[in-house]
Structures are given as structure tokens and as C-alpha cells.
Amino acid sequence: MRTAMNPYNNEAGLVDKFIGTAYDNVKIVADAIDKVKHLSDNMQAVYNFSATKDALEAFIANPDFLTWLQDNQTTLGNLSGLLASLVVDYAALAGAEFTGFVKMGAAGVGIKQVYLSGNSPVIGATNIWLHNSNPSKIIGISGSIVTSAGNIEALTPDGVDAKIWCDPTHLRMQIGEEATAYGNRPFHVILSIIE
């Protein structure tokens, strides 16, 4: 119990001098330690809630924005596509690897390659493979085929035994009637396409 005499000359008075009203605050925290722990454990959720609350308040302050988003959904989708295209086109400058065109030098043209493979048609037949490319942009067709003897030979548009070419939608390969070494054999073809 504290005496009524000078508070600086007794033990209870020293507590008042050095702690003052801090004890009351410490007692409040000690009594609520379970709540403090719960708050600490869920701080990220509280932060996320706060951010979501701010976003909702922004929408409430401007409800016309939701209508604008709905009305411009297609435009935003197109803008997203353009941004994605921009990232792809300029990714090479940043050293990133994306699917798309590669351009070497200021005067170079953007080029990409489409790879097709499989087994060649049977002897005397023609098969097709979808190339999904603009035919007016295809500037090169190169390929090879593994013959029945295990040799790797070039595929060309002028080949007598095995020949390749592109129509507007497909890569075509034809194996001649006498081309016994080329029927149903593994092949690889690369189409070079300009931007």
C-alpha cells in the first residue's frame, strides 16, 4: 500500500516516478494478450481487408466506373491484347524469351519459325499438316527426312522422290510411287515467316 508522504522517498513513489501511467497501459495489453496475438497472426488478412475496403470505397465514390468497365469490356480486352503484343515484340531487347518474332539489327526484319514433324506419307501418297501461318509471309521451307537406310536427306519443293510445299493453310508432302526409302519415315520441317 502506498503512503501519503512524499512519493519520491518510498518504494511506491519510485514506481510512480519511473513508470508513471505506463503500468495502466501495460495492464490493458496484458489483459488483452490473446487479442493482440490473434491480430498479429492475422495481420496480412487485415491488410488485405483494408486494401479491399479502400477499393470498394473507390467504387462506391464513383459507381459510374463500374458501368464504364462493363461498356468498355471489349476495348479493354483489345488493349490487353495490344499490351501483350508489345511485351512480346520488345521482350528480346530486355533479354527475355517469349514466343514471337526475333529481329536482329535495326534494318533486320522480324522472323519466327514454325516447326512441323511426324511421319511422311506412304509411298505414292500426299499428306497435309496445318501450318496456321499467313502464306504470303512464309519466306522459307526447309526440312529433312530419315530414309529407310538411316540417312538424313533434305526435303525440297523440287524433290523427285519426296517433295514439300505449302498451300494457304497446310504444309504438303508427296512421296513418289518409286520412292520406297521415303514412305512412312520421320521428317522435320521448319517454316520461316516474316513479321
Side-chain angles (χ1 to χ4, degrees):
M1 182 167 164
R2 196 172 295 164
T3 62
M5 295 189 297
N6 184 343
Y8 302 108
N9 294 335
N10 62 55
E11 291 179 10
L14 291 175
V15 169
D16 282 342
K17 178 181 177 184
F18 291 108
I19 297 179
T21 59
Y23 175 79
D24 295 333
N25 295 327
V26 170
K27 178 79 169 114
I28 291 170
V29 172
D31 290 343
I33 198 70
D34 289 337
K35 293 177 183 171
V36 171
K37 181 181 181 312
H38 177 77
L39 182 64
S40 175
D41 292 344
N42 294 286
M43 190 58 75
Q44 186 62 48
V46 170
Y47 174 79
N48 292 344
F49 174 77
S50 176
T52 303
K53 180 178 145 298
D54 291 345
L56 287 173
E57 286 175 353
F59 280 124
I60 291 167
N62 189 2
D64 293 338
F65 184 66
L66 291 174
T67 305
W68 183 87
L69 281 176
Q70 185 66 33
D71 293 345
N72 292 287
Q73 195 171 15
T74 302
T75 304
L76 291 171
N78 293 341
L79 180 60
S80 175
L82 289 171
L83 289 173
S85 175
L86 184 67
V87 168
V88 168
D89 290 344
Y90 291 97
L93 297 176
E97 291 183 14
F98 289 87
T99 302
F101 292 90
V102 175
K103 185 174 181 180
M104 301 296 279
V109 62
I111 296 176
K112 74 175 179 179
Q113 295 180 326
V114 173
Y115 171 70
L116 301 166
S117 67
N119 282 341
S120 63
V122 296
I123 298 167
T126 301
N127 276 5
I128 60 173
W129 292 266
L130 192 64
H131 59 64
N132 290 322
S133 302
N134 181 345
S136 67
K137 301 280 187 165
I138 297 173
I139 59 168
I141 305 170
S142 59
S144 64
I145 188 167
V146 180
T147 67
S148 58
N151 298 325
I152 299 172
E153 295 186 15
L155 285 168
T156 67
D158 306 333
V160 176
D161 296 325
K163 94 184 202 181
I164 56 171
W165 71 97
C166 283
D167 67 20
T169 56
H170 295 91
L171 167 75
R172 295 183 173 272
M173 183 183 301
Q174 181 180 37
I175 303 298
E177 292 285 341
E178 307 296 322
T180 57
Y182 299 95
N184 198 28
R185 302 300 304 156
F187 76 90
H188 305 278
V189 171
I190 292 179
L191 304 179
S192 296
I193 300 151
I194 58 172
E195 196 170 17

